[in-house]
């Protein structure tokens, strides 16, 4: 019986975000093929509970490195799962070398390394292919010296991820049979084109499900964004500065609508949404996000059709000619930090409110589970994707308040159509002056406070449904 030795593929991902660039949908076989792999992988990972965050691009790069050394049935399996025959190889060069597009993908860094035991010599054709297509580093270490090998690999990972991931591998990941490891690190740090103002960040309720609610910090901004909605969900893209990458959110309209959205995700569906987006003025309110995830992808990739690469049928003779290899495991580790500005702290002062009846504004408040994507605008390649269902740093709300919070959420939608029912007041110094809503430029609002019917008597003896007190930004005035 042949003794098959394992390859361990490590996929290391770090994402620290503060902002992105405007999405420009481009229809191409490349994006459709790659994104279908992305959604195939997501459909497997979504079965895990809680938050999800992964980099299909990072996983793809790692698998492509292994593909370069595969032969026969193993090669055919890679081509099917990675959709390599659905697009010309010349087009895939654009995907392979995303990391070289520094002008359009500012802040995105893709790093690859092939780790070879010092006892072995990798086939020249494999080494040349991986180096030329993926700019991969070739590193040698002593896998028989477990401590040294772990130190070498973890040092490389830490260096490529700005010290965010420092313990990618442990001694249990390496043994005397290990001959080769393939690692891939994707690091992105961006600055929003239009930053969230810290003083507008406010604590509000995130509705995880019917049994769990949390108090979390929400970032708030009004700006022009690419926007789409239908009867099931809203979709926005928010641009990063100096970059052709975009942050996208797909928000179900129902609190429990995430599963339906996830089940429909595929490349055609996503492409259609991108094509239908149009610029709208949007009031955007999203939670600050911090997610760390770690996956073993062997099971997911086996279900997708890569089963032969994990057993004794594997053929990686293009890597080591006289040694039998199989893939032992594919490890995937990710990190995302989504906030206003990483270097600045501030207090929350803004009141959240839904405003309807103003056709030039769309309200987008991500206060319940949603899916998100980070996309290269030019190729539409899915650099990162995930879902947010569970705040990691939120304060859980007592169940006694659940019903009241849901009622408050539903009642925050104010009917501006009948202005005689809502009293609009502008705070000018210590004075409150009545104004018509049509005279208010919402870009000039610093913050506003909403009072329901029971509080109207504090402001007037007349019969109003509610009161809104508006404070304008400094040096802004009502134009009549």
């Amino acid at each position: 019986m042949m003794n098959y030795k394992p390859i361990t593929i490590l996929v290391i991902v770090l994402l620290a975000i503060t902002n992105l660039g405007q999405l420009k949908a481009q229809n191409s076989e490349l994006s459709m093929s790659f994104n279908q792999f992305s959604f195939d992988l997501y459909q497997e990972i979504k079965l895990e509970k809680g938050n999800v965050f992964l980099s299909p691009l990072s996983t793809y790069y790692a698998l492509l490195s292994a593909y370069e050394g595969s032969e026969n049935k193993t090669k055919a399996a890679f081509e099917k799962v990675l959709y390599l025959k659905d697009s010309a190889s010349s087009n895939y060069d654009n995907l392979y070398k995303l990391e070289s597009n520094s002008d359009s993908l500012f802040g995105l860094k893709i790093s690859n390394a092939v780790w070879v035991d010092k006892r072995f010599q990798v086939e020249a054709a494999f080494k040349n292919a991986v180096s030329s297509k993926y700019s991969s580093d070739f590193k040698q270490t002593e896998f028989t010296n477990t401590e040294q090998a772990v130190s070498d690999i973890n040092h490389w990972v830490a260096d490529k991820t700005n010290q965010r991931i420092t313990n990618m591998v442990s001694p249990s990941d390496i043994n005397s049979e290990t001959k080769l490891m393939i690692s891939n690190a994707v690091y992105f740090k961006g600055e929003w084109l239009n930053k969230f103002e810290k003083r507008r960040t406010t604590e509000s309720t995130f509705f995880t499900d019917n049994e769990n609610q949390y108090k979390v910090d929400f970032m708030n901004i009004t700006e022009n964004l690419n926007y789409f909605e239908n009867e099931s969900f809203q979709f926005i893209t928010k641009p990063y500065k100096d970059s052709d990458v975009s942050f996208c959110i797909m928000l179900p309209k129902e609190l429990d609508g995430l599963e339906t959205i996830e089940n429909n995700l595929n490349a055609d569906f996503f492409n259609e949404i991108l094509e239908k987006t149009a610029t709208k003025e949007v009031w955007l309110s999203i939670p600050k996000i911090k997610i760390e995830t770690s996956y073993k992808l062997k099971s997911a990739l086996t279900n997708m059709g890569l089963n032969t690469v994990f057993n004794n049928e594997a053929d990686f003779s293009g890597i080591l000619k006289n040694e039998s290899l199989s893939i032992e495991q594919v490890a995937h580790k990710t990190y995302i930090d989504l906030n206003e500005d990483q270097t600045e702290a501030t207090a929350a002062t803004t009141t959240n409110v839904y405003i309807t009846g103003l056709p030039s504004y769309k309200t987008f408040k991500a206060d319940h589970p949603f899916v998100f994507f980070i996309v290269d605008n030019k190729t539409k390649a899915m650099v990162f994707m995930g879902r947010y269902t569970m705040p990691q740093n939120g304060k859980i709300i007592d169940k006694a308040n659940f019903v009241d919070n849901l009622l408050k959420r539903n009642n925050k939608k104010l009917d501006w159509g009948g202005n005689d029912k809502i009293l609009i007041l502008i705070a000018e110094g210590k004075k409150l002056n009545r104004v018509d809503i049509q005279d208010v430029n919402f870009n000039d609002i610093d913050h506003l406070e909403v009072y329901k019917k029971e509080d109207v008597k504090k402001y007037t003896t007349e019969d109003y449904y509610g009161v809104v007190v508006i404070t304008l930004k400094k040096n802004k005035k009502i134009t009549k």
Side-chain angles (χ1 to χ4, degrees):
M1 179 179 294
M2 298 184 69
N3 185 15
Y4 281 79
K5 311 298 183 183
I7 306 172
T8 299
I9 297 184
L10 306 178
V11 184
I12 309 102
V13 185
L14 170 75
L15 181 62
I17 300 184
T18 55
N19 70 10
L20 290 179
Q22 185 142 3
L23 195 65
K24 302 173 182 176
Q26 296 182 6
N27 194 5
S28 69
E29 290 184 29
L30 166 62
S31 64
M32 294 296 286
S33 299
F34 170 71
N35 282 350
Q36 191 52 57
F37 163 81
S38 303
F39 287 115
D40 288 349
L41 182 60
Y42 183 84
Q43 292 299 332
E44 295 293 332
I45 300 300
K46 75 173 187 181
L47 300 177
E48 300 199 16
K49 295 181 180 180
N51 297 328
V52 169
F53 183 55
L54 67 150
S55 173
L57 182 63
S58 178
T59 307
Y60 204 82
Y61 265 104
L63 294 176
L64 282 171
S65 294
Y67 164 74
E68 291 295 338
S70 65
E71 301 289 350
N72 302 313
K73 290 182 179 180
T74 302
K75 186 174 184 178
F78 275 115
E79 289 174 346
K80 181 179 180 180
V81 172
L82 300 179
Y83 294 91
L84 292 178
K85 290 190 175 181
D86 289 357
S87 182
S89 60
S90 59
N91 287 335
Y92 270 91
D93 288 342
N94 296 324
L95 177 62
Y96 296 158
K97 297 184 178 180
L98 273 175
E99 74 272 23
S100 66
N101 300 332
S102 57
D103 292 339
S104 61
L105 296 172
F106 182 78
L108 178 65
K109 182 180 180 182
I110 300 172
S111 304
N112 306 284
V114 176
W115 300 84
V116 183
D117 192 281
K118 291 182 177 180
R119 296 171 294 168
F120 302 101
Q121 182 67 41
V122 171
E123 292 295 312
F126 172 75
K127 183 175 181 179
N128 291 336
V130 174
S131 295
S132 61
K133 288 185 177 181
Y134 320 123
S135 302
S136 184
D137 295 333
F138 271 82
K139 301 288 187 179
Q140 286 192 298
T141 189
E142 295 182 62
F143 287 115
T144 53
N145 184 344
T146 303
E147 183 178 350
Q148 184 61 50
V150 168
S151 176
D152 289 344
I153 295 170
N154 284 341
H155 180 79
W156 184 87
V157 171
D159 181 61
K160 298 300 183 181
T161 62
N162 199 30
Q163 307 301 314
R164 290 291 188 178
I165 298 177
T166 55
N167 295 293
M168 181 63 196
V169 297
S170 63
S172 62
D173 296 317
I174 296 172
N175 57 51
S176 59
E177 301 297 314
T178 305
K179 296 179 179 179
L180 181 147
M181 284 190 175
I182 301 171
S183 60
N184 173 265
V186 177
Y187 177 85
F188 179 79
K189 183 175 181 179
E191 180 182 353
W192 298 115
L193 180 62
N194 293 311
K195 293 183 180 181
F196 294 93
E197 293 185 40
K198 290 289 185 120
R199 61 192 179 89
R200 294 189 174 187
T201 296
T202 184
E203 187 177 70
S204 188
T205 304
F206 186 87
F207 300 85
T208 294
D209 52 38
N210 292 330
E211 298 184 358
N212 294 282
Q213 299 175 7
Y214 295 83
K215 284 294 184 183
V216 299
D217 287 337
F218 278 76
M219 305 178 292
N220 302 280
I221 193 172
T222 301
E223 62 177 312
N224 289 321
L225 299 171
N226 277 2
Y227 178 90
F228 170 78
E229 72 171 299
N230 59 21
E231 67 282 356
S232 301
F233 62 85
Q234 295 173 283
F235 180 88
I236 60 99
T237 73
K238 182 168 172 59
Y240 286 99
K241 184 179 180 181
D242 300 324
S243 177
D244 269 334
V245 182
S246 289
F247 183 76
C248 312
I249 296 179
M250 189 179 296
L251 177 69
K253 288 189 173 180
E254 300 296 330
L255 288 182
D256 59 354
L258 179 63
E259 184 177 358
T260 300
I261 297 298
E262 286 185 309
N263 290 339
N264 289 325
L265 287 176
N266 59 54
D268 289 327
F269 177 66
F270 190 72
N271 184 70
E272 182 180 355
I273 295 168
L274 294 181
E275 295 292 346
K276 288 182 177 179
T277 59
T279 302
K280 299 286 184 181
E281 194 158 17
V282 179
W283 175 65
L284 177 65
S285 182
I286 60 175
K288 296 171 71 170
I289 298 174
K290 183 174 287 188
I291 301 174
E292 294 182 65
T293 61
S294 182
Y295 304 109
K296 302 297 185 183
L297 298 180
K298 180 177 179 178
S299 178
L301 294 170
T302 296
N303 292 340
M304 291 166 62
L306 276 182
N307 52 305
T308 59
V309 310
F310 296 107
N311 57 39
N312 58 9
E313 296 181 17
D315 183 350
F316 288 104
S317 54
I319 300 177
L320 296 176
K321 185 66 69 178
N322 298 317
E323 295 288 339
S324 299
L325 300 173
S326 65
I327 295 178
E328 176 67 21
Q329 185 57 268
V330 178
H332 190 76
K333 200 165 187 177
T334 63
Y335 171 93
I336 179 174
D337 186 356
L338 182 70
N339 53 45
E340 316 95 332
D341 187 328
Q342 289 183 314
T343 61
E344 189 177 339
T346 188
T349 58
T350 304
T351 300
N352 287 326
V353 61
Y354 284 83
I355 302 174
T356 63
L358 294 174
S360 61
Y361 286 81
K362 294 292 183 180
T363 297
F364 192 105
K365 183 169 185 179
D367 65 352
H368 56 282
F370 56 86
V371 288
F372 61 92
F373 316 89
I374 294 170
V375 182
D376 166 36
N377 301 338
K378 290 188 175 180
T379 65
K380 290 194 296 183
M382 198 72 62
V383 184
F384 300 96
M385 64 192 306
R387 71 171 176 227
Y388 184 73
T389 64
M390 180 71 69
Q392 290 188 314
N393 299 315
K395 294 179 288 186
I396 193 164
I397 296 173
D398 190 280
K399 290 187 177 181
N401 298 317
F402 278 16
V403 175
D404 185 53
N405 284 337
L406 286 170
L407 287 174
K408 286 180 178 179
R409 179 182 187 273
N410 293 333
N411 289 335
K412 279 184 179 179
K413 295 186 177 181
L414 301 179
D415 179 12
W416 295 95
N419 291 335
D420 58 322
K421 296 181 181 180
I422 304 293
L423 177 62
I424 312 297
L425 300 174
I426 290 288
E428 297 179 329
K430 294 183 178 180
K431 296 176 60 179
L432 294 174
N433 297 319
R434 181 174 175 176
V435 296
D436 191 297
I437 190 62
Q438 304 302 326
D439 294 329
V440 179
N441 183 339
F442 277 71
N443 288 320
D444 293 341
I445 292 177
D446 182 72
H447 68 272
L448 52 80
E449 297 176 18
V450 180
Y451 301 93
K452 301 303 288 183
K453 189 173 181 64
E454 57 267 25
D455 297 314
V456 168
K457 61 184 179 181
K458 297 178 182 178
Y459 298 91
T460 180
T461 58
E462 299 178 52
D463 186 22
Y464 283 96
Y465 176 75
V467 176
V468 175
V469 178
I470 297 173
T471 301
L472 298 179
K473 295 177 182 177
K474 187 177 181 180
N475 298 324
K476 297 295 183 181
K477 296 181 179 180
I478 293 294
T479 302
K480 299 183 179 179

